């Protein structure tokens, strides 16, 4: 019984730590670099590339600035 409760607690904590970005996509930069794409993938930040510019969700800006700049 204890093991089951511990497992459920761990799963709840892990799922609570996941980030789900839902904001409107805004421009991150004028040029797309492999370093930017790699950093976004490593930090699970969704991005779009349109006309050579990279866009990320508004609510991911703080995370991107802290980890990818």
């Amino acid at each position: 019984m204890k093991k089951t409760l511990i497992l459920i607690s761990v799963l709840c904590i892990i799922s609570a730590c996941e980030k789900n970005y839902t904001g409107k996509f805004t421009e991150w930069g004028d040029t797309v670099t492999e370093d930017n794409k790699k950093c976004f993938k490593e930090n699970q930040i969704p991005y779009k590339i349109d006309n050579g510019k990279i866009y990320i969700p508004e609510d991911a800006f703080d995370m991107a600035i802290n980890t990818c700049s």
Side-chain angles (χ1 to χ4, degrees):
M1 185 69 173
K2 285 184 180 181
K3 289 181 182 181
T4 305
L5 289 175
I6 291 172
L7 179 63
I8 290 172
S9 298
V10 169
L11 290 175
C12 289
I13 291 170
I14 290 173
S15 66
C17 293
E18 288 185 27
K19 296 271 185 182
N20 292 325
Y21 300 109
T22 58
K24 177 183 167 191
F25 278 78
T26 57
E27 186 177 336
W28 169 257
D30 288 335
T31 57
V32 179
T33 64
E34 291 301 317
D35 290 334
N36 280 343
K37 291 193 289 187
K38 181 180 175 185
C39 183
F40 292 145
K41 286 179 184 176
E42 287 176 356
N43 293 293
Q44 299 174 346
I45 299 172
Y47 66 92
K48 293 182 186 177
I49 299 173
D50 188 28
N51 292 331
K53 296 181 180 182
I54 195 160
Y55 296 86
I56 62 172
E58 286 178 340
D59 51 353
F61 250 82
D62 289 339
M63 175 65 89
I65 289 170
N66 291 332
T67 58
C68 299
S69 58

